């Protein structure tokens, strides 16, 4: 009785209703916010790909605009395509990189819908959505931590996800009877009201009463102050939040939780395990065919694996670098960073640029004026030991038309300041970043890298 009454009361609160029915980035109603506004499941990547193929290598000024509001028709797809690194861009044109070409091969092969799902999932796993590298993994673990705080441990949460996925052929009305729907909907607190905790603490019969109430509410009814049912209205048949969204959220979280907290001998081991677990859920898929596709595109999938498990460490490189023959390196070449074998090329370019950055800075920390840095002498270079940091982080290079692999973006820092920039509290990182930004703003601009301080802070996940 009590749980249902609390819910009914809350539904009369307009702010609660807005918070949970909206699917905007900061709303409470969206568990995975990497998907674009108008599309809410993994098929957005298929749709986006098809749209982008049409405008490959066509300048942005040539894109078709909507007649009524003047926006480019393709614009809504750009975020996902770039953040998942399926397309890259050079000046104002978009093109398929190595990963994008593999994605196209996948769509052209006659994979079933279920076979395509796991391939899309694996392909976008190292995306940096919401400015977070490996977002899907990070976010899935965050949600589990939220659940654990409420006394739902990892195994229990995974089993709730699994039982929901197992029965996801059911109609929309039936989804209202699943715990997962309430977990997904109320994982965020609302103004100190922790409805999820109340739901978890309630007796079984109270939860059942709430679920049946939600199930029996007409979904299409216009909102009236006395009668709104937030959850049922959110799933109204003309709404943008549909059952397939929920199913996809559950599947994405389920696979991230069972796959990404394991350790693997190597990349093949990871792929085999992923396909084995997927096969448990979907018996009718052709595992050998999927496997052989992945093997054929090893350069792409191996890099995804290495980025996921941080085998490649781009950002925190605390070692003095080896010498590279500068004649071997073309600093003007834009490197395809979705290709495992291009990483070697990237490392060479980056080594040359790091050396150059250090020489330019005269082996001194660029925050020396502010922090009075101390040095020791490197036994490799016999100069001050300094490190080099990408001011615009390497992971977000695809957000820029021009290459961020330029010496203007390479900042020399002492070990103290370098760790501060990566690992410090926001209040301490903010002034450091501000000072670096002021020093580099103009230089970056000259290289066609225009960035506001606000956007830079966003990349460092610093709240304003
Ligand atoms: Zn760094
Ligand atoms: Zn310093």
């Amino acid at each position: 009785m009590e749980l249902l009454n609390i819910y009914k009361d809350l539904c009369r609160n307009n702010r609660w209703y807005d918070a949970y029915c909206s699917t905007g980035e900061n709303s409470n109603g969206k568990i995975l916010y990497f998907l674009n506004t108008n599309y809410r499941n993994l098929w957005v990547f298929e749709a986006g790909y098809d749209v982008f193929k049409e405008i490959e290598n066509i300048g942005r000024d040539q894109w078709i605009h909507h007649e009524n509001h003047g926006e480019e028709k393709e614009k809504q797809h750009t975020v996902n395509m770039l953040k998942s690194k399926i397309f890259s861009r050079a000046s104002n044109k978009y093109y398929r990189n190595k990963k994008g070409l593999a994605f196209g091969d996948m769509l052209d092969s006659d994979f079933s819908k279920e076979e395509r799902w796991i391939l899309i999932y694996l392909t976008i796993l190292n995306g940096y959505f919401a400015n977070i590298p490996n977002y899907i993994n990070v976010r899935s673990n965050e949600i589990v931590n939220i659940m654990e705080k409420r006394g739902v441990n990892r195994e229990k949460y995974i089993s709730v996800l699994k039982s929901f996925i197992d029965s996801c052929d059911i109609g929309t009305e039936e989804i209202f009877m699943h715990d997962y729907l309430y977990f997904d909907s109320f994982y965020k607190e609302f103004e100190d009201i922790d409805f999820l905790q109340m739901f978890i603490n309630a007796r079984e019969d109270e939860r059942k009463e709430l679920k049946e109430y939600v199930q029996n509410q007409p979904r299409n009814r216009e909102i009236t102050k006395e009668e709104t049912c937030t959850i049922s209205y959110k799933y109204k048949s003309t709404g943008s939040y549909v059952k397939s969204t929920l199913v996809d959220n559950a599947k994405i979280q389920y696979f991230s939780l069972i796959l990404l907290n394991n350790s693997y001998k190597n990349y093949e081991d990871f792929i085999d395990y992923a396909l084995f677990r997927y096969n448990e859920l979907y018996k009718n898929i052709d595992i050998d065919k999927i496997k052989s596709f992945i093997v054929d595109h090893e350069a792409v999938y191996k890099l995804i694996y290495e980025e996921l498990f941080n085998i490649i460490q781009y950002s925190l490189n605390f070692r003095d670098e080896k010498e590279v023959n500068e004649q071997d390196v073309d600093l003007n070449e834009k490197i395809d960073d979705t290709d495992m074998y291009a990483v070697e090329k990237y490392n060479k370019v980056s080594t040359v640029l790091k050396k150059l950055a250090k020489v330019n800075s005269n082996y001194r920390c660029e925050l020396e004026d502010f922090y009075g840095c101390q040095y020791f002498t490197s036994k490799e270079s016999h100069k001050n030991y300094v490190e080099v940091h990408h001011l615009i982080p390497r992971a977000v290079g695809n957000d820029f038309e021009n290459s961020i692999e330029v010496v203007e973006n390479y900042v020399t820092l002492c070990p103290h300041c370098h760790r501060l920039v990566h690992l410090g509290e926001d209040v301490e990182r903010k002034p450091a970043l501000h000072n670096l930004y002021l020093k580099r703003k103009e230089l970056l601009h000259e290289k066609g890298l225009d960035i506001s301080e606000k956007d830079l802070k966003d990349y460092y996940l610093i709240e304003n």
Side-chain angles (χ1 to χ4, degrees):
M1 203 43 214
E2 216 185 325
L3 186 66
L4 178 57
N5 284 338
I6 293 169
Y7 176 72
K8 282 181 178 172
D9 269 354
L10 285 168
C11 288
R12 288 185 199 110
N13 178 331
N14 287 335
R15 286 197 317 281
W16 154 275
Y17 175 82
D18 287 343
Y20 289 106
C21 267
S22 145
T23 49
E25 190 165 308
N26 296 315
S27 83
N28 296 15
K30 198 173 187 184
I31 206 156
L32 293 166
Y33 40 74
F34 67 96
L35 298 171
N36 225 345
T37 333
N38 294 332
Y39 298 89
R40 308 202 189 283
N41 56 47
L42 283 204
W43 307 114
V44 64
F45 293 93
E46 269 192 35
Y49 187 85
D50 284 339
V51 170
F52 262 82
K53 227 169 57 178
E54 301 298 312
I55 52 159
E56 187 170 19
N57 291 322
I58 296 175
R60 194 155 182 165
D61 44 332
Q62 309 287 313
W63 291 10
I64 297 162
H65 291 247
H66 282 284
E67 268 175 34
N68 47 352
H69 52 83
E71 250 192 13
E72 299 149 329
K73 284 183 174 163
E74 296 81 3
K75 193 186 165 197
Q76 63 191 355
H77 298 282
T78 56
V79 175
N80 283 332
M81 290 299 106
L82 291 174
K83 299 278 180 186
S84 58
K85 294 192 189 170
I86 291 172
F87 276 73
S88 291
R89 67 181 182 190
S91 63
N92 68 344
K93 291 175 182 167
Y94 291 70
Y95 63 93
R96 275 175 285 185
N97 50 36
K98 194 97 176 194
K99 194 197 241 190
L101 292 168
F103 198 87
D105 283 351
M106 188 265 287
L107 296 183
D108 290 342
S109 313
D110 57 344
F111 287 118
S112 69
K113 198 168 186 209
E114 278 160 0
E115 289 163 348
R116 295 205 309 280
W117 192 91
I118 189 69
L119 284 167
I120 297 172
Y121 169 81
L122 291 172
T123 305
I124 65 168
L125 262 184
N126 65 336
Y128 53 93
F129 308 100
N131 292 334
I132 300 172
N134 298 333
Y135 169 84
I136 295 175
N137 184 26
V138 170
R139 184 74 182 141
S140 300
N141 282 306
E142 249 173 54
I143 302 287
V144 161
N145 293 339
I146 290 172
M147 296 302 161
E148 284 189 325
K149 272 191 207 128
R150 273 107 169 207
V152 179
N153 69 27
R154 177 175 287 264
E155 285 67 36
K156 167 77 181 156
Y157 186 60
I158 290 174
S159 78
V160 168
L161 288 168
K162 174 80 161 56
S163 85
F164 178 72
I165 298 164
D166 281 343
S167 61
C168 66
D169 289 335
I170 55 177
T172 301
E173 263 73 26
E174 281 101 335
I175 67 171
F176 298 127
M177 296 305 287
H178 271 272
D179 281 352
Y180 176 62
L181 178 117
Y182 300 86
F183 285 9
D184 179 283
S185 301
F186 298 113
Y187 74 98
K188 259 194 203 175
E189 284 175 43
F190 171 78
E191 297 176 6
D192 295 335
I193 300 165
D194 190 346
F195 187 72
L196 181 58
Q197 189 68 69
M198 294 180 209
F199 179 84
I200 290 165
N201 291 347
R203 294 192 315 272
E204 186 57 45
D205 60 309
E206 282 186 298
R207 285 205 292 267
K208 190 158 176 272
E209 189 186 30
L210 169 70
K211 291 171 179 178
E212 283 170 351
Y213 170 79
V214 174
Q215 189 178 37
N216 291 322
Q217 292 303 300
R219 279 182 281 133
N220 286 322
R221 186 176 45 211
E222 283 305 308
I223 312 156
T224 63
K225 200 146 172 60
E226 287 311 302
E227 289 182 308
T228 307
C229 173
T230 304
I231 288 293
S232 68
Y233 190 75
K234 182 171 169 181
Y235 288 88
K236 67 178 188 274
S237 55
T238 54
S240 51
Y241 204 95
V242 291
K243 197 195 80 183
S244 65
T245 314
L246 191 69
V247 173
D248 238 32
N249 279 351
K251 277 166 75 174
I252 290 168
Q253 288 179 71
Y254 176 72
F255 278 101
S256 299
L257 294 176
I258 61 172
L259 297 183
L260 301 176
N261 289 289
N262 270 339
S263 54
Y264 300 95
K265 283 200 291 289
N266 50 38
Y267 141 84
E268 283 89 356
D269 193 24
F270 167 68
I271 295 294
D272 285 343
Y273 185 69
L275 296 182
F276 166 73
R277 293 306 298 263
Y278 193 66
N279 202 187
E280 282 180 345
L281 278 187
Y282 298 101
K283 305 274 187 255
N284 294 329
I285 56 170
D286 185 343
I287 289 295
D288 292 337
K289 193 176 156 200
I290 302 176
K291 179 80 192 289
S292 92
F293 175 84
I294 291 174
V295 169
D296 287 348
H297 297 87
E298 189 191 71
V300 169
Y301 287 99
K302 202 170 174 197
L303 180 61
I304 293 169
Y305 166 77
E306 301 216 342
E307 287 192 349
L308 267 177
F309 292 95
N310 293 316
I311 294 165
I312 295 180
Q313 290 269 2
Y314 296 105
S315 51
L316 282 168
N317 182 0
F318 293 150
R319 292 202 50 240
D320 255 5
E321 63 284 339
K322 298 187 290 281
E323 289 294 321
V324 170
N325 186 352
E326 295 186 21
Q327 271 84 54
D328 290 354
V329 177
D330 178 2
L331 290 180
N332 294 316
E333 186 189 3
K334 182 151 181 178
I335 298 166
D336 186 340
D337 61 357
T338 64
D339 174 356
M340 184 68 207
Y341 303 102
V343 169
E344 212 179 302
K345 221 188 257 178
Y346 165 80
N347 284 338
K348 280 187 183 168
V349 167
S350 145
T351 303
V352 171
L353 289 174
K354 280 180 181 172
K355 178 84 182 289
L356 194 57
K358 289 179 187 179
V359 172
N360 289 351
S361 73
N362 202 17
Y363 293 83
R364 303 197 82 87
C365 177
E366 299 194 28
L367 290 171
E368 199 183 52
D369 296 349
F370 307 98
Y371 299 102
C373 310
Q374 294 198 353
Y375 303 98
F376 63 87
T377 308
S378 159
K379 70 178 176 186
E380 282 180 49
S381 68
H382 309 292
K383 303 277 201 319
N384 288 341
Y385 174 86
V386 281
E387 297 170 348
V388 178
H389 172 73
H390 275 80
L391 187 56
I392 299 173
R394 194 198 164 274
V396 301
N398 223 13
D399 283 359
F400 295 85
E401 290 178 2
N402 291 353
S403 175
I404 64 162
E405 301 308 324
V406 289
V407 74
E408 289 78 2
N409 191 39
Y410 279 54
V411 174
T412 307
L413 297 172
C414 73
H416 162 270
C417 294
H418 194 192
R419 280 164 173 78
L420 164 66
V421 166
H422 281 277
L423 308 171
E425 291 257 22
D426 283 359
V427 288
E428 296 177 45
R429 290 201 299 159
K430 221 196 274 191
L433 203 59
H434 174 71
N435 288 320
L436 291 175
Y437 178 74
L438 291 184
K439 284 189 153 188
R440 290 305 167 104
K441 190 183 162 191
E442 264 313 301
L443 293 166
L444 289 171
H445 168 75
E446 281 164 24
K447 287 285 164 174
L449 296 167
D450 287 305
I451 182 166
S452 69
E453 188 168 354
K454 159 101 178 51
D455 286 347
L456 190 65
K457 275 195 246 165
D458 282 351
Y459 284 142
Y460 285 75
L461 304 176
I462 292 176
E463 312 227 334
N464 278 291

